[in-house]
């Protein structure tokens, strides 16, 4: 079903003018055996093979400004499954991808070796993912009326501190500064 949806999406997108490119595709967790909400490595391989067979070129986040007509930014949101299952697939298909890292993930000392392994891969760029802390419930930034100015400033300050801490942590673990930032759904 997911492969059919991806095929339908790409068929529609291939008819759009070049100005609509680049395309970005995001995956969450990859697991074997597959579990609810996750994709299997085989499903991800099917997606990568489909993209490649239809002339899509995976690009790095830092190259988005100069990306060509059939460019695609591939993103994965789970560092541990990305290292275990996705990096070998990226190597097979010779494709690059972004792995986003949330605040809890960047602060978890048990994930430091995973992040270092991802940073060592020539196929992966690590990017901090901005998300609201657990239990806050309201978006970090709200557009439109209804949000008092002071509360909005507090959220922006918290967002700025969190993003700086994540970028500093990724720089510490990987030895390189992140090239971008990803926003979790509902954060903006």
């Amino acid at each position: 079903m997911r492969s059919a949806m991806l095929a339908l999406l790409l068929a529609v997108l291939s008819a759009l003018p070049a100005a609509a490119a680049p395309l970005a595709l995001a995956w969450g967790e990859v697991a074997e055996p597959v579990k609810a909400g996750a994709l299997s490595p085989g499903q991800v391989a099917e997606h990568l093979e489909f993209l490649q067979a239809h002339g899509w070129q995976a690009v790095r986040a830092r190259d988005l400004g100069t990306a060509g007509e059939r460019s695609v930014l591939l993103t994965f949101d789970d560092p541990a499954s990305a290292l275990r299952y996705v990096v070998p697939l990226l190597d097979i298909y010779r494709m690059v991808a972004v792995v986003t890292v949330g605040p809890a993930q960047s602060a978890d000392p048990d994930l430091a070796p995973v992040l270092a392994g991802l940073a060592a891969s020539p196929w992966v760029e690590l990017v901090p993912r901005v998300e609201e802390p657990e239990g806050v419930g309201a978006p970090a930034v709200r557009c439109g009326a209804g949000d008092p100015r002071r509360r909005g400033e507090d959220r922006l300050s918290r967002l700025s501190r969190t993003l700086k801490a994540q970028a500093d942590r990724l720089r510490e673990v990987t030895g390189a500064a992140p090239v971008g930032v990803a926003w979790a759904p509902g954060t903006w």
Side-chain angles (χ1 to χ4, degrees), residues 30-48:
V30 179
E32 190 68 51
V34 73
K35 57 186 179 183
L39 291 174
S40 72
Q43 289 170 311
V44 174
E46 286 176 13
H47 296 173
L48 299 179

Side-chain angles (χ1 to χ4, degrees), residues 81-108:
S81 69
L83 180 62
R84 183 170 182 181
Y85 299 112
V86 176
V87 170
L89 292 172
L90 296 173
D91 185 43
I92 290 168
Y93 291 98
R94 299 292 198 232
M95 297 175 101
V96 294
V98 167
V99 176
T100 65
V101 182
Q105 294 166 329
S106 66
D108 185 349

